[in-house]
């Protein structure tokens, strides 16, 4: 679990930094003009959050993200997880609080399960070398996870833990799936009961890939009912399975994988599908761990401990002999300081084999072998095998009390939000303060009128050169496609106008990343976006376009094609310079609705509703662009 969570945390950091704009999505525009958000545009107005979720400068965010990644690496390596586990949760919680605009259920799910992992004993336990001097390689011994393995293979000491951390971890998974079902069951509309929910979501919700399923109502109906059934089965399986039900655990994990693999095929939600599939790995059956241990011993060593020899028994009086175990004809030898040298091993094995042979013929066992065998089979505190712990020794009394309080609060918060069975005693303030709230509303009620797509058009005057000399031209840029590809994509006003009149079949293909789409998708519903939210975002786009245009002009890579007209043929220009003081960004969001299948129209149909956002802003509105005027020669 520790390895999965820390690897996901590192991957999430890399994905966020790879997003166009990178750290400028987390800085404040009061100190960084290139920031994509106004510093006051946050739902966290509490005094404590102004310090915890401070945005600051680019350098501040770079430092914070570097420390975040460093903590995740230390947690991955199993270095003092009792310290770096909570630190990783704190760093993740503050990172999410600094930017809430493009999060989905995966971020809250990861944050909550990461908190519960702090109450689970995630320390690495040493692997002991068993049977390093074994003679009979066919003798049956059990691996650290309970299955029979070759005695010459390495195995790990198993630690079966039942603690407040594991209970809270599993309860969080149960409450997430149960909350989704509970919210959908209370919706008055019948999208989830007449089988149209998946079809509506595929045609209107963000992340839609435009696959063929959206045009097949009968298949959407099957997927709707199948999704509800499997999501309802997951919490039921968690409650009924036991540690001995290895096939029940495998069935649970397969159900979760089936749900989220189907979601990934239909929607561009990579991190939600990935983490939701990783979450139940805590319940991985022992038979799977045995297979990893036997097939990939190096990987197993990294996942659950280093390679050491078993501790030396204190009860033996022989300083150079540790344990002797006889199973049939197989003899295993090991010492507290490591394995014997090859010569001493051979001598010891030969001596003990002769002793065993004599005991079979004469009917008696030499006293030395009897003594060593008795010591090896006797219970010893220095040779733990499988132990059952409650986590108290790991957490201490204070940690256990905090875990019980969080578990109680989580259940009460769920009953007041998703369950709606009681009234919240604090209106969710405690959960909001530490970003540990419930309320799982993923695809609760797909809206048929919730479809929209964005087009962002930037243009500026420039000087271009063709075979006849230098000319004044206009450079038109498709901003979203430019950010998506990482290079300037030129266009024409006619092409951009056409994009606002045609509903795209794949909406997620328009945006640089799913987080970008997540943010833009929810903006038309905000009444203040036209007046407030679009301004810092347009300023951010102005900076992005200026930087990218400058780079391509310096490298002589920026070319502009003017379409043919009645007066001239099609021309190609190489751009020499751009007047960024006249750079303008035009943002348009078009809305559309979805009509359900009818007898006359057997498939889902889309109809444009009209403009939801239409804002054009000149970059010279901000002072850093007002003085950016080139000294052009007469052309």
């Amino acid at each position: 679990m520790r390895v999965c969570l820390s690897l996901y945390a590192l991957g999430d950091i890399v994905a966020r930094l790879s997003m166009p704009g990178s750290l400028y999505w987390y800085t404040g525009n009061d100190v960084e003009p290139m920031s994509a958000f106004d510093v006051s545009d946050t739902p966290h107005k509490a005094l404590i959050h102004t310090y915890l979720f401070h945005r600051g400068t680019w350098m501040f965010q770079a430092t914070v993200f570097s420390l975040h990644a460093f903590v995740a690496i230390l947690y991955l390596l199993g270095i003092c997880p009792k310290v770096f586990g909570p630190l990783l949760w704190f760093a993740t919680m503050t990172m999410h609080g600094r930017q809430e605009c493009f999060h989905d259920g995966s971020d809250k799910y990861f944050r909550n399960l990461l908190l519960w992992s702090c109450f689970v004993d995630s320390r690495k336990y040493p692997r002991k070398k068993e049977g390093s001097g074994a003679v009979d390689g066919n003798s049956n011994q059990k691996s650290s996870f309970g299955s029979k393995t070759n005695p010459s293979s390495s195995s790990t000491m198993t630690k079966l833990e039942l603690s407040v951390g594991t209970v809270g971890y599993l309860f969080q998974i149960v409450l997430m799936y149960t909350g989704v079902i509970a919210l959908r069951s209370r919706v008055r509309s019948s999208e989830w009961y007449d089988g149209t929910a998946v079809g509506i979501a595929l045609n209107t919700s963000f992340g839609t890939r435009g696959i063929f399923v959206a045009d097949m109502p009968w298949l959407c109906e099957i997927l709707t009912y199948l999704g509800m059934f499997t999501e309802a089965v997951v919490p039921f399986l968690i409650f009924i399975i036991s540690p001995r039900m290895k096939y029940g655990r495998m069935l649970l994990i397969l159900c979760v994988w089936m749900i989220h693999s189907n979601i990934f095929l239909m929607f561009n939600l990579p991190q939600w599908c990935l983490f939701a599939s990783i979450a139940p790995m805590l319940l991985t059956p022992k038979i799977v761990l045995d297979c990893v241990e036997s097939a990939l011993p190096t990987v197993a060593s990294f996942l659950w401990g280093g390679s050491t020899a078993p501790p030396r028994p204190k009860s033996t009086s022989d300083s150079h002999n540790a344990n002797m175990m006889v199973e049939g004809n197989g003899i295993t030898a090991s010492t507290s300081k490591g394995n014997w040298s090859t010569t001493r091993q051979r001598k010891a094995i030969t001596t003990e084999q002769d002793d065993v042979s004599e005991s079979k013929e004469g009917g008696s066992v030499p006293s030395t072998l009897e003594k060593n065998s008795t010591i090896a089979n006797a219970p010893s505190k220095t040779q733990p095998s499988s132990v059952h712990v409650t986590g108290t020794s790991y957490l201490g009394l204070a940690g256990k009390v905090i875990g019980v309080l969080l578990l109680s609060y989580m259940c009460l918060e769920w009953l007041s939000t998703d369950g709606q069975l009681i009234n919240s005693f604090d209106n969710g303030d405690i959960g909001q303060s530490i970003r540990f709230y419930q309320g799982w509303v993923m695809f609760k009620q797909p809206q048929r009128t919730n479809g929209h797509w964005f087009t962002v058009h930037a243009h500026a005057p420039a000087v271009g050169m063709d075979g006849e000399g230098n000319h004044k031209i206009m450079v038109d840029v498709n901003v979203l496609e430019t950010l998506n590809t990482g290079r300037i994509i030129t266009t024409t006003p006619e092409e951009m106008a056409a994009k606002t009149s045609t509903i795209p079949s794949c909406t997620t293909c328009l945006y640089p990343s799913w987080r970008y789409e997540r943010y833009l998708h929810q903006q038309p519903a905000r009444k203040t976006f036209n007046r407030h939210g679009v301004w810092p975002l347009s300023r951010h786009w102005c900076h992005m376009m200026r930087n990218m245009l400058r780079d391509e002009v310096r490298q002589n890579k920026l070319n502009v094609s003017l379409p043919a007209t009645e007066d001239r043929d099609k021309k190609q220009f190489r751009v020499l310079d751009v007047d960024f003081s006249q750079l303008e960004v035009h943002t348009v969001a078009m809305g559309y609705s979805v009509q359900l299948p009818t007898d006359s129209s057997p498939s889902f149909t889309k109809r444009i509703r009209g403009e939801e956002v239409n804002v054009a802003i000149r970059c010279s509105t901000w002072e850093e662009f007002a003085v950016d005027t080139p000294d052009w020669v007469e052309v």
Side-chain angles (χ1 to χ4, degrees), residues 328-348:
N329 293 329
I331 302 174
T332 304
S334 61
T335 68
S336 60
K337 296 182 180 179
N339 295 331
W340 285 342
S341 63
T342 305
T343 304
R344 295 185 63 184
Q345 270 190 348
R346 289 175 179 173
K347 290 181 178 180

Side-chain angles (χ1 to χ4, degrees), residues 337-551:
K337 296 182 180 179
N339 295 331
W340 285 342
S341 63
T342 305
T343 304
R344 295 185 63 184
Q345 270 190 348
R346 289 175 179 173
K347 290 181 178 180
I349 293 170
T350 304
T351 303
E352 297 300 336
Q353 280 182 326
D354 293 338
D355 291 340
V356 171
S357 301
E358 292 176 5
S359 67
K360 289 181 179 179
E361 296 175 359
S364 62
V365 180
S367 59
T368 304
L369 181 59
E370 181 180 3
K371 179 179 179 180
N372 290 335
S373 180
T374 304
I375 293 172
N377 294 327
S380 175
K381 293 182 179 180
T382 61
Q383 293 179 338
S385 55
S386 295
V387 281
H388 181 82
V389 298
T390 60
T392 307
S393 59
Y394 175 71
L395 297 173
L397 181 60
K400 191 173 183 180
V401 170
I402 294 173
V404 171
L405 290 176
L406 284 176
L407 180 60
S408 302
Y409 181 81
M410 180 180 70
C411 295
L412 291 175
E413 181 73 5
W414 185 90
L415 291 174
S416 63
T417 53
D418 293 348
Q420 296 185 4
L421 299 176
I422 62 174
N423 294 323
S424 177
F425 69 92
D426 67 335
N427 293 323
D429 291 341
I430 296 176
Q432 288 288 355
S433 63
I434 61 173
R435 318 299 295 129
F436 183 65
Y437 59 92
Q438 304 300 307
W440 306 93
V441 296
M442 290 84 72
F443 296 106
K444 178 181 73 172
Q445 183 181 8
Q447 300 289 335
R448 287 186 290 168
T449 59
N450 198 32
H452 42 251
W453 76 98
F454 274 77
T455 62
V456 184
H457 174 208
H459 57 88
V463 172
M465 180 182 68
D466 63 358
E468 300 176 358
N470 295 345
H471 305 272
K472 287 185 177 180
I473 59 174
M474 291 294 295
V475 176
D476 295 274
V477 180
N478 186 332
V479 175
L480 292 180
E481 191 172 352
T482 294
L483 296 176
N484 196 4
T485 59
R487 59 186 181 85
I488 295 295
I489 302 297
T490 57
T491 182
T492 62
E494 293 76 17
E495 289 180 0
M496 296 304 296
K499 290 180 181 296
T500 61
S501 59
T502 305
I503 301 175
S505 58
C506 176
T507 56
T508 194
C509 301
L510 302 176
Y511 306 98
S513 69
W514 72 269
R515 290 195 184 276
Y516 227 105
E517 181 186 5
R518 171 67 175 172
Y519 169 68
L520 292 177
H521 181 82
Q522 58 190 352
Q523 294 311 309
R526 300 178 61 189
K527 297 180 180 179
T528 60
F529 181 72
N530 282 340
R531 303 190 308 270
H532 182 70
V534 72
W535 285 87
L537 184 60
S538 296
R539 188 182 188 181
H540 171 75
W541 282 333
C542 285
H543 280 274
M544 294 288 291
M545 292 301 101
R546 182 176 66 175
N547 294 341
M548 296 182 71
L549 285 168
R550 276 180 174 173
D551 290 341

Side-chain angles (χ1 to χ4, degrees), residues 33 49 71 126 128 161 209 221 277 363 451 460 462 523 525 537 547:
H49 288 160
V71 170
K128 62 178 182 179
E161 181 174 345
R209 297 183 183 274
E221 183 176 356
S277 300
Q523 294 311 309
L537 184 60
N547 294 341

